[in-house]
Amino acid sequence: MNSRRRVVVTGMGVLTPVGNDVEAFWASLMSGTSGAGPITRFDPSGMRCQIAAELKSYDAEDHFERKEIRRLDAYNQYFLVAARQAMKDAGLAFPPDDEMAVRAGVMVGGGFGGMETFIDEIRVLDARGADRVSPTGIPRIIANMAAGLASIEHNLLGPVSCVVTACSASANAIGDAAEIIRRGAADVMLTGGTEAAITDYAVASFGQSRALSTRNDDPTRACRPFDAGRDGFVMGEGAGALVLEERERAIARGARVYAEFGGYGMSADAYHITLPRPGGTGAARAMTAAMADADIGPADLGYINAHGTSTEANDATETAAIKVALGEHAYRVPISSTKSMTGHVLGGAGAVEAIASILAMEREKLPPTINYEDPDPECDLDYVPNTPREARVDWVMSNSFGFGGHNVALVFSRPS
Amino acid sequence: MDRADIESRLRDVLVSELGLDAAKINLGANFEQDLDVDSLGVVELLMAMEDEFGVKIPDDEAEHIHTVGEAVDLVHTKLNS
């Protein structure tokens, strides 16, 4: 008998390379639109990788005062923009005199923090000296500031924290936020994740590690998860935000419920700093744990939003992991990688993909894996190739894995 | 450089570098109370003044700057001493 508090999703917001709000994002997922292109943020000449999925038509001045922008790395801006959408979508506000504000918190995931500021400030230090470094540099850089800023903006006085687990960060954040509500420490959690790392340094360093696609002459076809011709991931950027809420409270106030939070599983590979453990047993344990937490079996799962980065190692290993965790059902469950369209939002990916998974369940259409052309014998499952598929599913899973061997799986269900 | 020149250039810096509201800037405006400049903003202000006018403003002198007029006076004194 399970008597723990139940958690539902009542608000969502996104800022992604394929759409700056939920509807635009969904439209791109349904049309199979890639957000990748030549890097415009800096001059990538001479670098191995010269492509990325940058935000389109994003202007900070549409969202913030000039005085604020000077103190906000894009990492923070992106989360604040997505968070405003999610809070508005949920119909929630906590004015200064609202006693419920102490029952609302924030949990944000991110991979780096304010990387662009960090790079710029180090360059100032080297070129001009210590007394020219900005006094607002550190608050722009530290990875937890997105959570702090969101609590300030929305007057959220409860638990406020941050998870930094590379590309699984925002999946961890969503799971941790749900746990906080389950154990009664808060009733509402603004959660999700953010990343703004399309910088010369990150593209150079990821490129040196041979993690990025070098299909520079064909950017929209560069990210091709599970395809035999995949050659690395394409960096993305942006944020995803969700409002999680204790179910009884959400129902009592008549909130629109998108999904119920079902389960949270995590595990460590304990194997290598960047490579997944061969055979996928680490990732499989996260999926198994998430299903157990949701009290379901493999046959209940109707869709998996894969981590699916388009690296040779991830996609083969994740395929193996799904087989370990789901057994024969692995061959029946539709799986797709929306990174084929969004690029890899790194610390924000888990949140963006949780939202994609929830929308797929709500709208009864599964987003495709685009650029899937040549099957890889090591990737022999159903990846919903190239076109969306109509399907009514009751349980969805979203996988997120991070450098360091972090494996996270989240399960959501159709609201009952 | 006379006081009017310094005030004009300082005003431009306050708007372009610190993002302050041009309409609120006058010689009597208090940085913290009238222009909403916090403790970190004061440091940014001092750095911007040093860069704009090519002067050094030690902490003990910076403590005496509370208004736009006091900032103009300090720069004027430094440039003409």
Side-chain angles (χ1 to χ4, degrees), chain B residues 38-50:
Chain B
D38 63 14
S39 59
L40 297 174
V42 168
V43 180
E44 294 181 298
L45 164 70
L46 296 170
M47 289 172 60
M49 287 170 63
E50 289 180 335

Side-chain angles (χ1 to χ4, degrees), chain A residues 67 70-71 131-132, chain B residues 17 36 38 50-51 56:
Chain A
K67 189 177 167 186
R70 300 181 61 261
R71 292 190 174 189
D131 68 350
R132 295 296 96 184
Chain B
E17 297 298 314
D36 200 24
D38 63 14
E50 289 180 335
D51 283 345
K56 290 296 283 184

Side-chain angles (χ1 to χ4, degrees), chain A residues 221-289:
Chain A
R221 296 175 68 231
C223 187
R224 38 201 317 112
F226 306 106
D227 181 271
R230 68 189 183 276
D231 73 331
F233 74 84
V234 172
M235 279 184 74
E237 61 174 347
L242 301 89
V243 173
L244 302 187
E245 198 165 348
E246 191 275 321
R247 182 171 174 268
E248 299 304 318
R249 178 199 141 96
I251 291 171
R253 73 179 182 89
R256 171 182 178 168
V257 175
Y258 287 98
E260 178 160 352
F261 181 86
Y264 177 27
M266 55 176 156
S267 70
D269 264 0
Y271 174 71
H272 186 266
I273 54 172
T274 61
L275 292 173
R277 183 181 280 275
T281 51
R285 283 186 291 109
M287 291 183 242
T288 301

Side-chain angles (χ1 to χ4, degrees), chain A residues 137-367:
Chain A
I138 298 293
R140 280 182 280 157
I141 292 166
I142 51 181
N144 60 296
M145 194 54 72
L149 287 162
S151 79
I152 293 167
E153 178 167 322
H154 297 284
N155 189 40
L156 308 175
L157 305 179
V160 176
S161 191
C162 158
V163 187
V164 180
T165 48
C167 302
S168 57
S170 52
N172 273 130
I174 293 166
D176 291 352
E179 289 291 348
I180 284 172
I181 296 174
R182 279 174 167 178
R183 67 182 166 84
D187 297 322
V188 173
M189 289 295 289
L190 173 60
T191 184
T194 178
E195 205 75 86
I198 302 177
T199 60
D200 54 0
Y201 174 73
V203 173
S205 183
F206 275 132
Q208 289 295 88
S209 72
R210 307 299 193 264
L212 297 177
S213 172
T214 57
R215 203 178 291 259
N216 294 323
D217 57 350
D218 200 2
T220 63
R221 296 175 68 231
C223 187
R224 38 201 317 112
F226 306 106
D227 181 271
R230 68 189 183 276
D231 73 331
F233 74 84
V234 172
M235 279 184 74
E237 61 174 347
L242 301 89
V243 173
L244 302 187
E245 198 165 348
E246 191 275 321
R247 182 171 174 268
E248 299 304 318
R249 178 199 141 96
I251 291 171
R253 73 179 182 89
R256 171 182 178 168
V257 175
Y258 287 98
E260 178 160 352
F261 181 86
Y264 177 27
M266 55 176 156
S267 70
D269 264 0
Y271 174 71
H272 186 266
I273 54 172
T274 61
L275 292 173
R277 183 181 280 275
T281 51
R285 283 186 291 109
M287 291 183 242
T288 301
M291 288 188 284
D293 189 33
D295 199 21
I296 61 170
D300 295 311
L301 279 181
Y303 170 67
I304 297 176
N305 188 295
H307 188 54
T309 57
S310 181
T311 62
E312 189 177 341
N314 177 83
D315 298 357
T317 308
E318 185 172 9
T319 296
I322 291 169
K323 292 176 190 173
V324 171
L326 273 65
E328 277 302 303
H329 189 66
Y331 293 91
R332 291 188 288 271
V333 67
I335 301 159
S336 68
S337 169
T338 43
K339 285 190 184 76
S340 60
M341 294 169 275
T342 63
H344 193 344
V345 187
L346 306 174
V352 169
E353 290 158 21
I355 290 168
S357 304
I358 290 165
L359 290 171
M361 182 164 57
E362 187 206 31
R363 299 178 179 194
E364 304 185 5
K365 280 186 182 150
L366 309 180

Side-chain angles (χ1 to χ4, degrees), chain A residues 394-409:
Chain A
D394 293 324
W395 296 88
V396 295
M397 176 183 279
S398 181
N399 285 341
S400 300
F401 312 133
F403 278 6
H406 305 274
N407 304 306
V408 180

Side-chain angles (χ1 to χ4, degrees), chain A residues 5-70:
Chain A
R5 283 154 55 97
R6 293 165 67 175
V7 178
V8 294
V9 179
T10 57
M12 301 191 291
V14 292
L15 189 58
T16 76
V18 297
N20 293 352
D21 58 47
V22 166
E23 290 310 322
F25 169 64
W26 179 250
S28 291
L29 296 189
M30 290 299 101
S31 61
T33 303
S34 166
I39 289 172
T40 66
R41 200 64 50 76
F42 60 91
D43 178 4
S45 300
M47 291 193 185
R48 295 176 59 84
C49 171
Q50 303 180 5
I51 56 176
E54 298 175 344
L55 295 185
K56 313 294 183 296
S57 311
Y58 174 77
D59 184 347
E61 295 201 19
D62 292 342
H63 305 281
F64 304 98
E65 300 289 326
R66 281 189 51 241
K67 189 177 167 186
E68 295 176 303
I69 293 169
R70 300 181 61 261

